[in-house]
Amino acid sequence: MYGELIVGINMVFNYAILSFADRMVKAQATTRRLLLASLFGALPVTIFPNSQIAIIIAFGAMIICAFGISIASIGGRAVIVLIGALFAGGALTVFTEKFMFSDSKATVFVSALLAYVFLYLLKTKWLDVRVARQLSSYSVASVLSIWNETISIPSFIDTGNRCTEPLTGEPVHFVSFKFVEQSIPEELKKPLLSWKTGDMPQLSTFPKHYQKTLRLIRLQTVQGASWAVGFKYDRWIIGEGSEMPAGYIVFTKQDNRYPEGAGAILHASALESITNERGTSHVAGT
């Protein structure tokens, strides 16, 4: 009975770790395969508890049974399994030293539950770091030239931004009003600040010598359709000197959806400029 209990504890622990690795690498292994791999990993360790060779054999058997024999399995997936085992095992060791139930079944249940909680927290933090890295990959320095002004703006390329000016099809980028407020001509600020988002803007309220560079941009969001004024820029350089195609900018007053530190959200087409500049390695790195 004692041996069966040890095998059961090891199986539960192995299954939690393999499930964690399966979700992290999106291997889509079946539950049956993960259970079988958990058993293969538990038996050698139970029979030979003090043997390092048995531990190595158990680890290899788990990886091969769960994910197959391939370079990817032996490499990246094995590393993730090892990280999960060290993290969850260390956390459980701390717990079991302080709290141990007299009932063996309760100990197995609580240990399994805690293993899943620990690995869930690890997965959450891991994904947060991955997302942060992805966001930083799409963040670029940029220099906007408009109204005889040159403005340095940290920008973010939003692959979901497909907004275009309806007549020309040119891309529309969104710029924080607060970020560039000091560079906006005073005669443009008044009509911009007095304009209500729900109403269609009247281009006639803007100075005549600016009107030829203005366009009405229809925006479609989850809140519904709205109108904005698009300003044609003279030039926009991003990254290490790549010039973006001609386009328009729309000023936004609500900046809560801007990534931290960004003053502009660029159209998805800006990614092509970065790709052409740096090669496909930039995209692959994301």
Side-chain angles (χ1 to χ4, degrees):
M1 179 66 183
Y2 179 76
E4 293 176 355
L5 178 62
I6 297 301
V7 171
I9 293 175
N10 277 282
M11 277 192 65
V12 169
F13 186 72
N14 291 343
Y15 184 80
I17 295 169
L18 290 172
S19 299
F20 163 76
D22 182 64
R23 288 193 295 270
M24 291 303 299
V25 300
K26 299 180 180 180
Q28 297 182 341
T30 62
T31 302
R32 181 179 178 181
R33 189 165 185 170
L34 294 179
L35 285 172
L36 189 60
S38 302
L39 177 61
F40 284 168
L43 287 176
V45 176
T46 304
I47 298 172
F48 306 101
N50 299 319
S51 173
Q52 292 184 352
I53 296 177
I55 294 175
I56 294 173
I57 292 174
F59 184 77
M62 279 201 313
I63 300 300
I64 293 172
C65 183
F67 306 116
I69 303 176
S70 66
I71 296 177
S73 298
I74 298 173
R77 295 168 185 176
V79 171
I80 293 178
V81 171
L82 183 59
I83 292 172
L86 292 174
F87 179 80
L92 280 177
T93 300
V94 174
F95 171 79
T96 53
E97 285 182 353
K98 295 183 178 180
F99 306 98
M100 195 69 179
F101 298 98
S102 57
D103 186 351
S104 59
K105 292 182 180 180
T107 301
V108 172
F109 175 78
V110 173
S111 297
L113 179 62
L114 287 174
Y116 275 100
V117 171
F118 294 146
L119 290 172
Y120 174 79
L121 293 175
L122 177 60
K123 183 187 76 168
T124 302
K125 294 299 181 184
W126 196 321
L127 293 177
D128 286 346
V129 171
R130 186 181 295 177
V131 169
R133 287 184 60 188
Q134 219 171 26
L135 287 175
S136 64
S137 297
Y138 289 117
S139 298
V140 293
S142 71
V143 178
L144 172 66
S145 298
I146 187 171
W147 309 310
N148 297 320
E149 293 276 352
T150 300
I151 313 168
S152 295
I153 307 178
S155 303
F156 175 77
I157 302 174
D158 183 2
T159 55
N161 176 17
R162 305 281 176 172
C163 184
T164 58
E165 196 280 316
L167 296 179
T168 62
E170 293 177 348
V172 174
H173 313 280
F174 297 91
V175 175
S176 166
F177 180 85
K178 294 177 183 177
F179 198 93
V180 297
E181 185 175 2
Q182 299 301 321
S183 301
I184 300 175
E186 290 295 330
E187 53 191 337
L188 287 178
K189 286 184 184 179
K190 185 177 180 180
L192 279 173
L193 293 173
S194 61
W195 163 59
K196 295 182 179 179
T197 308
D199 300 333
M200 180 181 291
Q202 300 296 321
L203 299 184
S204 58
T205 61
F206 292 87
K208 287 186 178 181
H209 56 281
Y210 288 111
Q211 290 179 12
K212 62 179 180 180
T213 63
L214 305 182
R215 292 290 188 276
L216 287 178
I217 309 293
R218 183 176 172 83
L219 306 176
Q220 187 68 44
T221 64
V222 291
Q223 287 81 19
S226 60
W227 290 91
V229 178
F231 295 84
K232 193 173 186 64
Y233 53 82
D234 300 323
R235 198 180 187 204
W236 203 334
I237 304 297
I238 61 172
E240 299 175 2
S242 180
E243 183 171 354
M244 289 202 300
Y248 292 84
I249 61 173
V250 166
F251 292 111
T252 60
K253 296 178 182 178
Q254 301 297 327
D255 302 338
N256 56 320
R257 298 186 66 178
Y258 280 57
E260 186 176 354
I265 295 180
L266 305 182
H267 187 270
S269 61
L271 190 60
E272 298 178 8
S273 301
I274 295 295
T275 303
N276 293 335
E277 173 190 313
R278 303 181 185 175
T280 55
S281 60
H282 174 81
V283 180
T286 62

